[in-house]
Amino acid sequence: MKYLSEFRDEEIVRTLLNKIRKCVTKPWNIMEVCGGQTHGLVRHGLLQMLPDQIRMIHGPGCPVCVTPVSLIDKAVELALEHDVILCSYGDMLRVPGSTLSLQQARAKGGDIRILYSPLEAVSIARQNPNREVVFFAVGFETTAPANALSVEQAYRQKLKNYTVLSAHVMVPPAMEAIMSDPDTKVDGFLAAGHVCTVMGLSEYVPLVEKWKMPIVVTGFEPVDLLEGIYMVVSQLENGEYRLENQYKRVVGKDGNRQAVDLVKSVFEYRDREWRGIGEIPMSGLFLAQKYRDYDATLKFGPLKERISEDSGCLSGDVMKGKIKPHECPHFGKGCTPEKPLGAPMVSSEGACAAYYNYATQESTE
Ligand code: SF4
């Protein structure tokens, strides 16, 4: 584990914190886009170690959290009313829909199965030719290639009983939406390293140029996160803005072209609603014309109109960085992991779950 321990080394962490302290002269708001980074910051107690001038804002980078209620309701409907085998990742099960979560639908008899790979869903479809199998495909750029591969395999195998309920969203359009919000408080970004592993760096260049904001592609370990923060703060303090790559050991400039080409051949970009945030132009992946037979909404009927949430969940404000999770009036009271009002409290990448599970008293004061 030497490779991992290097990125949790206490001495390096101390050195980076000192560099940040020496560099910072005024207050800066930095958004870490990815929920995995939020969990890294909270789990390792880094928020309390940073100088007071640096405020980390937790971004919308949790795919489960931004999946619209209407899609969860559609998945529930498919499982209960169309008798499909509904496959999804475990994180989705406890997220509330407008009436039921998938877990509650399963308790009512829905055949809902948790998968670790979308190719398992293709196998289930092959093994159950008399049942319809729907894969509830949730995720960002990182999971899109494997989900695209499942569609490609089903197409090649001429499977007629496999479809995808696509809830895929893209990160750069969400960053664009945050930057263009006149109320945004963000001064600079830590971009999600694993997204760039697939997509490369090119999509971030126009964002930096247009909004004149530093973006540093960053990993997930304490040393990665602190080095990324130092790189953003250095730019801000010097009045600079550019794209930098802290995560060079994993992220190459061009990403994984094979994966990108596969995603672009199976999906097309369209406007997409984000739960709690609203519609973001060209931020969703939908099945391309050639693969329309694998679109669950075409086979089983479209989603219902947008469904308003009246649970009082403030996930949108949390994911846009307007409030911290513990500033939500329901945090730890009406909303807990056992009884969540919103997705960020149950998703493994949700900011509210990070604060609930790891935050110390000081960080929530
Ligand atoms: S604490 Fe619960 S209700 Fe409040 S924003 Fe988070 S998930 Fe929503």
Side-chain angles (χ1 to χ4, degrees), residues 17 20 24 27-34 36-42 45-60 185-191 214 216 218-219 221-222 224-233 236 317-327 351 355 363:
L17 282 166
I20 294 169
V24 68
W28 299 112
N29 294 315
I30 303 171
M31 174 177 274
E32 85 282 358
V33 178
C34 171
Q37 292 172 329
T38 305
H39 274 250
L41 288 167
V42 179
L46 301 179
L47 295 181
Q48 297 98 290
M49 296 179 200
L50 288 167
D52 290 343
Q53 295 104 314
I54 296 177
R55 184 167 186 265
M56 297 307 295
I57 298 182
H58 314 313
K185 297 181 179 127
V186 178
D187 298 308
F189 283 94
L190 302 184
V216 176
T218 308
E221 294 300 327
D224 293 322
L225 292 161
L226 291 175
E227 195 168 38
I229 291 167
Y230 174 65
M231 290 160 86
V232 171
V233 172
L236 290 169
D317 288 344
V318 170
M319 291 187 288
K320 284 186 272 191
K322 294 188 173 169
I323 61 167
K324 296 269 185 180
H326 63 278
E327 290 164 356
Y355 272 64
S363 70

Side-chain angles (χ1 to χ4, degrees), residues 18-295:
N18 279 335
K19 282 170 81 171
I20 294 169
R21 275 188 209 111
K22 278 188 189 148
C23 176
V24 68
T25 64
K26 44 188 138 162
W28 299 112
N29 294 315
I30 303 171
M31 174 177 274
E32 85 282 358
V33 178
C34 171
Q37 292 172 329
T38 305
H39 274 250
L41 288 167
V42 179
R43 187 171 62 233
H44 296 290
L46 301 179
L47 295 181
Q48 297 98 290
M49 296 179 200
L50 288 167
D52 290 343
Q53 295 104 314
I54 296 177
R55 184 167 186 265
M56 297 307 295
I57 298 182
H58 314 313
C62 162
V64 170
C65 302
V66 300
T67 297
V69 176
S70 56
L71 269 164
I72 296 171
D73 286 351
K74 187 72 194 176
V76 167
E77 176 200 310
L78 289 173
L80 292 182
E81 294 174 30
H82 296 268
D83 191 33
V84 310
I85 301 174
L86 195 284
C87 304
S88 191
Y89 299 123
D91 260 13
M92 280 310 299
L93 260 67
R94 295 179 53 226
V95 178
S98 68
T99 51
L100 296 176
S101 66
L102 284 170
Q103 193 173 48
Q104 289 164 328
R106 184 150 78 163
K108 284 180 175 288
D111 189 349
I112 296 168
R113 305 187 190 181
I114 297 172
L115 303 186
Y116 297 97
S117 151
L119 295 184
E120 288 174 55
V122 179
S123 300
I124 292 171
R126 210 173 38 243
Q127 289 155 13
N128 294 273
N130 299 322
R131 300 279 309 278
E132 289 288 341
V133 175
V134 178
F135 178 56
F136 192 10
V138 176
F140 285 116
E141 289 88 336
T142 38
T143 47
N147 293 344
L149 186 63
S150 81
V151 175
E152 170 66 22
Q153 282 209 356
Y155 180 82
R156 273 197 274 114
Q157 294 172 24
K158 299 188 171 51
L159 289 181
K160 300 284 184 215
N161 62 332
Y162 178 69
T163 50
V164 170
L165 185 59
S166 178
H168 274 297
V169 281
M170 304 281 102
V171 170
M175 290 169 71
E176 167 88 37
I178 289 163
M179 290 168 171
S180 52
D181 182 341
D183 296 331
T184 190
K185 297 181 179 127
V186 178
D187 298 308
F189 283 94
L190 302 184
H194 52 6
V195 166
C196 299
T197 309
V198 176
M199 303 304 285
L201 303 175
S202 60
E203 290 184 44
Y204 295 86
V205 175
L207 288 177
V208 168
E209 292 302 323
K210 180 175 172 187
W211 298 101
K212 306 197 183 328
M213 256 189 224
I215 298 179
V216 176
V217 177
T218 308
F220 303 85
E221 294 300 327
V223 168
D224 293 322
L225 292 161
L226 291 175
E227 195 168 38
I229 291 167
Y230 174 65
M231 290 160 86
V232 171
V233 172
S234 299
Q235 288 192 46
L236 290 169
E237 288 283 339
N238 292 321
E240 297 166 348
Y241 54 88
R242 59 182 178 274
L243 176 66
E244 288 187 288
N245 183 6
Q246 180 278 332
Y247 206 32
K248 283 193 182 125
R249 70 183 187 281
V250 177
V251 174
K253 185 168 157 283
D254 296 324
N256 181 334
R257 293 331 293 171
Q258 216 181 347
V260 172
D261 289 347
L262 179 64
V263 170
K264 288 190 172 163
S265 73
V266 171
F267 294 109
E268 60 188 30
Y269 292 68
R270 276 192 257 145
D271 300 349
R272 152 75 71 201
E273 186 202 342
W274 293 50
R275 186 174 191 165
I277 293 178
E279 191 156 285
I280 300 182
M282 302 305 276
S283 65
L285 288 182
F286 296 79
L287 285 158
Q289 187 68 39
K290 177 180 173 185
Y291 298 101
R292 290 285 159 88
D293 288 349
Y294 299 92
D295 185 333

